[in-house]
Amino acid sequence: MSGARSGRQGWRYRANVAARVVAGSVGAYGVAALFAAALARTLPMSRVEAVSLATLLAFLVAPAAAVWAFLAPGPWRAWAGMLGAALLFGAIAWFAGPPA
């Protein structure tokens, strides 16, 4: 009986880790890309400098988002955090308008 029970817990654990891995890779990429877009559109400098600085800072945001995916209390909260950050940065980029 305990063998069947541990099998079910094994699948739940694997699904939890798989959801966090996908959130930490795909979600972190999306958050970093939208962060770079939002920052590049709002920085008060030339277009090339703004894009370069925003891209460099996005390289710090991506691992922070990936770490968040594994520190979140559960996989649903990890995805909610990724979606919330993506929506925030996407809205900033949208309302900032087209690049200069």
Side-chain angles (χ1 to χ4, degrees):
M1 186 69 155
S2 67
R5 183 174 172 213
S6 67
R8 277 186 271 141
Q9 287 178 347
W11 284 106
R12 284 185 182 171
Y13 176 76
R14 289 184 181 117
N16 184 348
V17 171
R20 289 173 187 265
V21 166
V22 173
S25 57
V26 176
Y29 176 79
V31 168
L34 289 169
F35 171 81
L39 191 61
R41 290 180 178 197
T42 57
L43 284 175
M45 52 181 66
S46 72
R47 187 174 184 182
V48 173
E49 291 173 347
V51 169
S52 297
L53 180 61
T55 303
L56 287 173
L57 291 176
F59 280 113
L60 299 175
V61 170
V67 167
W68 159 253
F70 285 95
L71 290 179
W76 290 107
R77 287 201 183 170
W79 275 105
M82 294 293 172
L83 185 60
L87 288 174
L88 173 70
F89 294 137
I92 291 170
W94 178 270
F95 290 117

